[in-house]
Amino acid sequence: MNFLRGVMGGQPAGPQPSGAETIQKLCDRVASSTLLEDRRDAVRALKSLSKKYRLEVGTQAMGHLVNILQADRSDSEIIGYALETLYNMISNDEEEEPEENSQKQADDLGVQFTEIFIKEQENVTLLLSLLEEFDFHVRWPGVKLLTALLKNQCAQVQGVILVSPMGVSRLMDLLADSREVIRNDGLLLLQQLTKGNAAIQKIVAFENAFERLLDIITEEGNSDGGIVVEDCLLLLLNLLRNNSSNQNFFKEGSYIQRMKPWFEVGDDNSGWSAQKVTNLHLMLQLVRVMVCPVNSPGATSSCQKAMYQCGLLQQLCTILMATGVPADILTETINTVSEVIRGSQVNQDYFASVNAPSNPPRPAIVVLLMSMVNERQPFVLRCAVLYCFQCFLYKNQKGQGEIVATLLPSTIDANSISAGQLLCGGLFSADSLSNWCAAVALAHALQDNLTQKEQLLRVQLATSLGNPPVSLLQQCTNILSQGSKVQTRVGLLMLLCTWISNCPIAVTHFLHNQANIPFLTAQISENLGEDERLVQGLCALLVGICIYYNDNSLENYTKEKLKQLVEKRIGKENFVEKLGFITKHELYSRAAQKPQPTFSSPEQMLFDHEFTKLVKELEGVITKAVHKSSEEEKKEEEVKKTLEQHDSIVTQYKELIREQDTQLNELKEQVSSLKTENEQMQATITHQLSQIQQHKDQYNVLKLKLGKDSAQQLSAQAEGAQVNGLQSEELTGLREEVEELRKQHAELQVQLREKDALIDKLRSGPAPPVEGIATSSENNAELLKELETLRSKVQSQTAEIGQLQAERRDLLKKVETCSAMVSVPTAAGSTDGAGDSGKIAELESRLVALMGETEKLKEEAKSSLESRAGLERQLAEANSTVAILQTEKAKLQQEVADSKKEQDDLLMLLADQDQKIQTLKSKLKDLGEPIEDEDDLDTRDQFDEDEDEEDDEDDEN
């Protein structure tokens, strides 16, 4: 304990040991002590010495401290002392302001200790496992130590954490810690962890980082929050910047909608705190990261759409038009709105409808342009307004037309200030920066819009009282010739080049002024200073545009005459050299990098991003146009016309070949379908033939069987017929007829007896008096007549009775004959009546059964004959279908042969055309023109493929 008191500040007697000796003793104590308390006290002493004796502690105690972390994990206190000691050795943070050299040495020392610590990857893995401990004295120093390691050797530590199982997940758990100090230091740790490592950024994002960070920002008060909000925003920027996967995940997770409350600033914008300004800066940067022009167009467009739909753009425009907003926040808001509306028609239309809260209300575009052309406004604000105006017009022909329309005479309103008036005012003001900004803004109103270029030629300006108005084009050239500042002349030349490029009408208007070309050639041919080289290059570009886009409508300034003028006054080589001054300028390459104009000073604003694209596009074609002679141009035009003709011919042949290919494909499809149908029909026919054969076999078998059975049945039927004579049904009918005749005979006998009785009465005497009959002679005569009539009736009835009796006798004979036949004795010779009736019943039943079987056999034979007839009909139909298919196949083969013959003729024609084209191309090559043979190669390849396919079809057929 005396040793520890000496170390901890006691007053021992004798000489004091040096720091290195003390640290050596403490390290020995840590390594050799068996008691945990002794090791803990030694580590605590090392911790107290680690800041003052950083080098000695780091070189002697690092290994012992790592052993403590491994061996004494059960004691959180000693683990916390060890982690803090390691942190003091590795961390480069200094509370006091050190000298520059000492700070550099300290930084180097921290890096060296970090390299030693992470040389063994198990040390980092051990540290990650310690972060799982919930004890504050372990977790907090562990977070700080890992953060220090990442600061000193970020890439190496990131690699170890990336391959460690659940390494990133353990660190993400720090954000859920209820202790704010650990959560806040965890944010700092994740900031260092996610720097420049896309893989870790993706893992952190998919560990639900966006949700947690946005929740923390909301809990802390959004933009009004403190330093914790700033740390969360910095971590979000690390996760989203240059990481398209995370940006898409952020958008798909509907996190853009949660950004809207960040920008809800109140009406009282006075007294913004520095932290709020910083937070809003970072929030605006996050919005810009999602819609940055360097992102993929599809991702940017979807984010812009989401920002409009959720109201984020409207909220930003509210800040844009609010009063009392700090200048730097206003500038960054303008830049953010610029990129949110860039290239999005819906957002651009909304921005055009935004009005400033003034009396009377003015469009936001007009208010912003007023700031741009006002030289008293801050430089960065003016640059932001210019960028906003450029983004508003980017791929927005509707907006371009609206801006140009404010300059036309028919739409000018004298009572209000328009965008066009502000641009003209800035174009001709005394401030060179306003000149440049107005010229570039007006050039963007004409970018890739031929209609507005022609419309702008109508603009007339009143220069002074009493003088006639001049066109805007002429006024630009007048100011250019007056020798103003370089920035002004560069802006005007960029405007003129953008205006007349790809617009022959504007070129004609420009050349119509006789003083323009002499002024430009004079500017190019002079030997001026370094600052004027850029102006000379732009003048050369303007002259080259006049040559390249000249339609030869002016006799004095045709293409040929302008080239002769360049050759005599300037020289072709000198002209091309001056033209190259543009791309060689330092500010040109800087402007070509990104659309936003970012300049450190107003003097550096010389180039516009879109103009650099135009220069890159025109430089080569202008150089070729200047070097070509008139004869070469004529030959080139002739060759172009010939090539166009040949191209048209080839195009026609291509279309014809495409049509024939289509027809061939259709015919092939028809042939294949017919083949398929033919195969199906053949299969059907084969199946039907097999069925027919089966039915034939069944029919023959039935026929044989029927032959045997029918023979037996016929013999039995013959015997039965001989025995019976008549069938049972006929016997029954005869019996019924006999009974009816018997009844009739009985009735006739009764009638006959009554008649006989009446006749006997009449014959025996006079009839007694009858009521109603007179006894006179007349009555007797009538009675005699009546008697005669009765006699005749009796005679006729007697004859009928005799006839009926004869028929009765005949019938009785027949019945007796039938009875005799039925009563014939059997083979056994039985004559018994009961036996005879049994035999008759048995014969009748056998006869009925045989007749039923005969009827069944007749029906089966009839159905077999009908099915055979049906199959024969189907066979005949199939044979006819096959014949038709064979005929159609022959026709198709003939059509294929004709098509092949037509293609052979076309190949002969194309061979002739190819020979002519090769001759012309050789001429073009002699003239130095590059020739591309892709179309011809494609055509020949197509013909070869068609020939191969037709040969394959012929082989198959």
Side-chain angles (χ1 to χ4, degrees):
M1 296 303 293
N2 291 332
F3 167 74
L4 289 176
R5 279 197 293 270
V7 172
M8 301 304 293
Q11 299 293 331
Q16 296 292 329
S18 64
E21 294 174 351
T22 304
I23 292 168
Q24 181 63 43
K25 292 179 181 179
L26 289 171
C27 290
D28 294 340
R29 189 80 172 177
V30 171
S32 60
S33 296
T34 57
L35 293 177
L36 179 61
E37 290 79 4
D38 292 343
R39 293 197 302 274
R40 186 190 303 130
D41 293 337
V43 173
R44 185 190 299 116
L46 286 173
K47 173 197 152 191
S48 63
L49 295 172
S50 60
K51 288 187 178 180
K52 185 176 181 180
Y53 299 100
R54 182 179 178 191
L55 177 61
E56 290 79 3
V57 175
T59 53
Q60 298 182 40
M62 181 176 289
H64 300 294
L65 294 173
V66 172
N67 291 332
I68 289 293
L69 295 178
Q70 293 174 347
D72 295 327
R73 293 194 58 172
S74 59
D75 186 66
S76 61
E77 189 175 358
I78 192 172
I79 294 293
Y81 292 150
L83 291 173
E84 289 181 6
T85 306
L86 289 170
Y87 172 74
N88 290 336
M89 292 187 308
I90 291 172
S91 174
N92 294 320
D93 296 335
E94 293 289 342
E95 296 180 1
E96 299 178 356
E97 290 292 333
E99 296 180 359
E100 184 177 354
N101 292 332
S102 63
Q103 178 65 38
K104 185 176 181 182
Q105 292 175 0
D107 292 346
D108 294 339
L109 195 61
V111 172
Q112 292 173 7
F113 287 147
T114 302
E115 290 177 353
I116 295 171
F117 185 82
I118 67 175
K119 188 174 183 180
E120 297 293 334
Q121 294 187 4
E122 292 79 6
N123 295 340
V124 180
T125 306
L126 175 63
L127 185 56
L128 290 172
S129 65
L130 289 173
L131 290 178
E132 293 182 346
E133 298 290 338
F134 187 74
D135 192 290
F136 180 81
H137 296 91
V138 176
R139 194 171 231 193
W140 187 40
V143 171
K144 293 194 296 180
L145 176 57
L146 189 55
T147 305
L149 293 173
L150 285 165
K151 286 182 179 179
N152 294 333
Q153 293 289 337
C154 186
Q156 291 82 351
V157 180
Q158 284 175 339
V160 177
I161 295 174
L162 192 59
V163 298
S164 176
M166 301 296 292
V168 178
S169 299
R170 291 170 180 172
L171 301 180
M172 283 298 300
D173 291 338
L174 298 174
L175 296 182
D177 200 304
S178 58
R179 295 160 293 192
E180 290 189 1
V181 63
I182 295 179
R183 184 198 67 182
N184 298 342
D185 284 346
L187 287 172
L188 299 177
L189 171 60
L190 290 172
Q191 285 180 29
Q192 297 296 328
L193 179 65
T194 55
K195 282 184 177 179
N197 193 311
I200 292 180
Q201 290 169 2
K202 292 178 183 178
I203 296 173
V204 171
F206 283 99
E207 288 285 345
N208 206 21
F210 293 140
E211 185 74 28
R212 295 185 183 181
L213 293 173
L214 292 173
D215 288 341
I216 294 173
I217 292 173
T218 304
E219 292 170 3
E220 295 292 327
N222 294 326
S223 61
D224 293 324
I227 190 68
V228 178
V229 173
E230 180 181 350
D231 293 337
C232 291
L233 294 172
L234 289 172
L235 180 54
L236 284 172
L237 281 173
N238 284 350
L239 296 175
L240 293 174
R241 186 179 282 124
N242 300 324
N243 194 319
S244 58
S245 175
N246 282 1
Q247 290 174 9
N248 185 58
F249 180 63
F250 191 83
K251 177 182 67 68
E252 295 289 338
S254 300
Y255 296 120
I256 291 178
Q257 288 79 348
R258 297 186 61 178
M259 299 168 71
K260 181 186 175 184
W262 296 354
F263 305 102
E264 292 178 354
V265 296
D267 297 331
D268 185 13
N269 294 322
S270 61
W272 285 45
S273 64
Q275 187 62 55
K276 182 174 182 178
V277 172
T278 302
N279 292 344
L280 268 175
H281 261 296
L282 295 173
M283 290 171 176
L284 292 170
Q285 288 180 25
L286 269 174
V287 176
R288 293 186 66 182
V289 163
M290 299 300 297
V291 293
C292 183
V294 298
N295 295 345
S296 63
T300 301
S301 175
S302 60
C303 290
Q304 289 173 335
K305 182 179 179 182
M307 289 177 183
Y308 173 76
Q309 291 177 345
C310 73
L312 179 59
L313 174 60
Q314 294 85 330
Q315 202 67 44
L316 292 173
C317 291
T318 302
I319 298 176
L320 198 66
M321 294 291 104
T323 57
V325 178
D328 50 350
I329 293 295
L330 181 60
T331 302
E332 189 64 22
T333 305
I334 294 173
N335 289 326
T336 306
V337 171
S338 303
E339 294 183 352
V340 173
I341 68 173
R342 188 176 189 269
S344 175
Q345 187 65 53
V346 176
N347 294 3
Q348 288 167 340
D349 292 342
Y350 172 78
F351 183 70
S353 65
V354 175
N355 289 323
S358 59
N359 191 14
R362 289 177 178 172
I365 297 173
V366 174
V367 175
L368 292 175
L369 289 178
M370 291 171 69
S371 300
M372 186 186 73
V373 298
N374 187 353
E375 56 185 307
R376 292 191 296 272
Q377 293 291 342
F379 170 67
V380 290
L381 179 63
R382 299 174 73 180
C383 291
V385 173
L386 176 62
Y387 183 47
C388 184
F389 191 73
Q390 292 173 349
C391 292
F392 170 66
L393 297 178
Y394 181 72
K395 293 184 179 180
N396 184 11
Q397 293 192 354
K398 179 182 177 183
Q400 289 174 329
E402 292 173 353
I403 297 298
V404 173
T406 60
L407 288 166
L408 299 177
S410 59
T411 58
I412 292 177
D413 187 3
N415 297 325
S416 63
I417 300 175
S418 64
Q421 292 173 355
L422 291 171
L423 290 177
C424 284
L427 195 62
F428 308 125
S429 70
D431 180 27
S432 60
L433 182 59
S434 297
N435 301 152
W436 190 90
C437 291
V440 170
L442 197 56
H444 276 262
L446 306 175
Q447 195 76 39
D448 299 327
N449 197 327
L450 181 61
T451 304
Q452 302 309 322
K453 290 178 181 180
E454 296 176 356
Q455 287 292 323
L456 199 62
L457 295 172
R458 298 170 48 201
V459 176
Q460 300 291 322
L461 301 176
T463 55
S464 60
L465 295 174
N467 293 328
V470 297
S471 65
L472 177 61
L473 183 66
Q474 182 60 43
Q475 185 65 16
C476 290
T477 56
N478 291 341
I479 296 175
L480 191 63
S481 62
Q482 292 174 3
S484 54
K485 294 181 181 180
V486 173
Q487 191 175 37
T488 301
R489 284 182 288 163
V490 169
L492 290 172
L493 286 169
M494 287 195 298
L495 172 60
L496 291 173
C497 290
T498 306
W499 192 346
I500 70 173
S501 64
N502 200 21
C503 184
I505 298 176
V507 172
T508 303
H509 278 72
F510 181 78
L511 295 176
H512 190 72
N513 187 350
Q514 302 292 330
N516 288 342
I517 292 298
F519 168 73
L520 294 176
T521 54
Q523 287 286 319
I524 299 170
S525 59
E526 289 182 3
N527 292 323
L528 302 175
E530 189 71 22
D531 295 337
E532 297 290 335
R533 279 190 165 190
L534 181 57
V535 177
Q536 288 182 315
L538 292 171
C539 290
L541 178 65
L542 188 58
V543 173
I545 292 172
C546 291
I547 294 173
Y548 187 72
Y549 291 107
N550 196 335
D551 59 357
N552 297 324
S553 58
L554 293 178
E555 184 178 354
N556 295 331
Y557 291 107
T558 60
K559 282 186 178 182
E560 184 60 30
K561 290 185 178 180
L562 286 175
K563 286 194 290 186
Q564 292 176 0
L565 184 63
V566 168
E567 186 174 2
K568 292 178 181 178
R569 297 278 183 90
I570 305 170
K572 292 183 179 180
E573 299 301 329
N574 190 25
F575 179 85
V576 174
E577 182 183 0
K578 297 291 177 69
L579 184 62
F581 287 162
I582 302 174
T583 55
K584 293 177 182 177
H585 200 281
E586 178 186 359
L587 297 175
Y588 174 88
S589 58
R590 187 183 301 177
Q593 292 176 0
K594 56 182 180 179
Q596 182 180 358
T598 53
F599 305 100
S600 57
S601 63
E603 292 76 16
Q604 293 183 347
M605 293 186 72
L606 292 178
F607 284 105
D608 174 58
H609 178 75
E610 294 296 328
F611 182 73
T612 59
K613 295 181 181 179
L614 181 65
V615 173
K616 186 177 180 180
E617 177 185 348
L618 293 177
E619 185 178 8
V621 296
I622 288 175
T623 302
K624 290 181 181 179
V626 170
H627 279 294
K628 288 177 183 176
S629 62
S630 60
E631 295 179 357
E632 291 176 348
E633 284 190 353
K634 290 180 181 178
K635 289 181 181 179
E636 185 178 351
E637 289 179 358
E638 292 177 357
V639 170
K640 284 183 178 179
K641 290 181 180 178
T642 307
L643 286 175
E644 289 176 358
Q645 293 176 357
H646 285 294
D647 289 341
S648 64
I649 294 172
V650 171
T651 303
Q652 293 176 359
Y653 280 124
K654 284 182 179 179
E655 292 177 355
L656 180 60
I657 291 169
R658 288 193 189 97
E659 293 178 357
Q660 291 181 347
D661 287 340
T662 305
Q663 294 176 357
L664 282 173
N665 291 330
E666 292 177 355
L667 292 174
K668 288 177 183 177
E669 291 176 358
Q670 291 179 2
V671 168
S672 62
S673 63
L674 290 174
K675 285 181 179 179
T676 306
E677 291 179 1
N678 189 11
E679 292 174 356
Q680 293 176 354
M681 294 300 297
Q682 291 290 346
T684 305
I685 291 170
T686 304
H687 181 66
Q688 291 177 350
L689 288 174
S690 64
Q691 287 183 347
I692 290 171
Q693 187 63 37
Q694 291 176 1
H695 286 301
K696 284 183 177 179
D697 297 339
Q698 293 176 1
Y699 175 72
N700 292 328
V701 171
L702 289 172
K703 188 175 181 182
L704 292 173
K705 184 178 179 181
L706 182 63
K708 295 178 181 179
D709 294 341
S710 61
Q712 296 175 359
Q713 291 171 1
L714 288 174
S715 61
Q717 287 175 0
E719 291 176 358
Q722 290 175 1
V723 173
N724 295 323
L726 291 174
Q727 295 180 358
S728 60
E729 294 178 356
E730 294 178 352
L731 289 173
T732 303
L734 290 172
R735 288 171 181 170
E736 291 176 353
E737 291 178 358
V738 168
E739 291 294 329
E740 290 178 356
L741 289 173
R742 284 177 180 173
K743 291 179 180 180
Q744 291 178 0
H745 178 71
E747 292 175 355
L748 291 173
Q749 287 293 338
V750 172
Q751 292 178 2
L752 182 60
R753 283 193 295 270
E754 291 177 353
K755 298 293 184 182
D756 289 335
L758 180 61
I759 291 169
D760 292 334
K761 287 179 179 182
L762 293 172
R763 285 178 179 177
S764 62
V770 182
E771 184 180 359
I773 300 175
T775 57
S776 62
S777 59
E778 293 177 357
N779 292 335
N780 291 331
E782 290 177 357
L783 288 171
L784 288 174
K785 289 181 181 179
E786 186 174 355
L787 286 172
E788 289 296 330
T789 304
L790 289 171
R791 284 177 183 174
S792 61
K793 287 182 178 180
V794 167
Q795 290 176 359
S796 61
Q797 288 178 356
T798 303
E800 288 177 1
I801 289 169
Q803 186 177 356
L804 289 172
Q805 288 177 351
E807 288 178 359
R808 177 185 178 190
R809 286 192 297 272
D810 294 334
L811 288 173
L812 289 174
K813 288 180 180 180
K814 286 182 181 180
V815 170
E816 288 174 359
T817 303
C818 289
S819 298
M821 293 176 65
V822 169
S823 62
V824 175
T826 60
S830 177
T831 57
D832 187 67
D836 292 338
S837 63
K839 291 179 181 179
I840 292 172
E842 182 180 358
L843 288 173
E844 288 179 354
S845 63
R846 287 180 60 191
L847 180 62
V848 171
L850 288 173
M851 291 181 68
E853 289 181 359
T854 303
E855 291 296 327
K856 288 181 181 179
L857 290 174
K858 286 181 180 180
E859 290 176 357
E860 289 179 358
K862 184 178 179 181
S863 63
S864 298
L865 290 173
E866 289 177 354
S867 63
R868 179 181 178 183
L871 291 174
E872 287 177 352
R873 286 196 299 272
Q874 290 180 358
L875 179 62
E877 291 175 357
N879 290 331
S880 63
T881 304
V882 171
I884 293 170
L885 291 174
Q886 289 177 351
T887 305
E888 291 180 355
K889 180 179 178 183
K891 289 182 181 179
L892 291 174
Q893 289 178 348
Q894 183 63 34
E895 290 177 359
V896 171
D898 295 339
S899 300
K900 184 177 180 183
K901 184 177 180 181
E902 290 178 3
Q903 284 194 352
D904 292 335
D905 296 337
L906 290 173
L907 284 172
M908 294 297 294
L909 291 173
L910 280 176
D912 295 337
Q913 294 297 329
D914 284 340
Q915 187 63 33
K916 292 180 183 179
I917 291 171
Q918 291 297 329
T919 304
L920 294 171
K921 286 179 178 177
S922 62
K923 291 181 182 180
L924 282 174
K925 289 179 180 179
D926 295 337
L927 295 174
E929 288 293 326
I931 302 300
E932 296 180 358
D933 297 331
E934 295 178 358
D935 293 338
D936 300 335
L937 291 173
D938 292 341
T939 305
R940 285 197 291 273
D941 292 342
Q942 183 68 31
F943 276 119
D944 295 338
E945 292 176 1
D946 293 338
E947 286 184 341
D948 295 337
E949 291 177 359
E950 291 173 0
D951 293 338
D952 294 338
E953 288 180 3
D954 294 337
D955 295 337
E956 292 177 0
N957 295 329

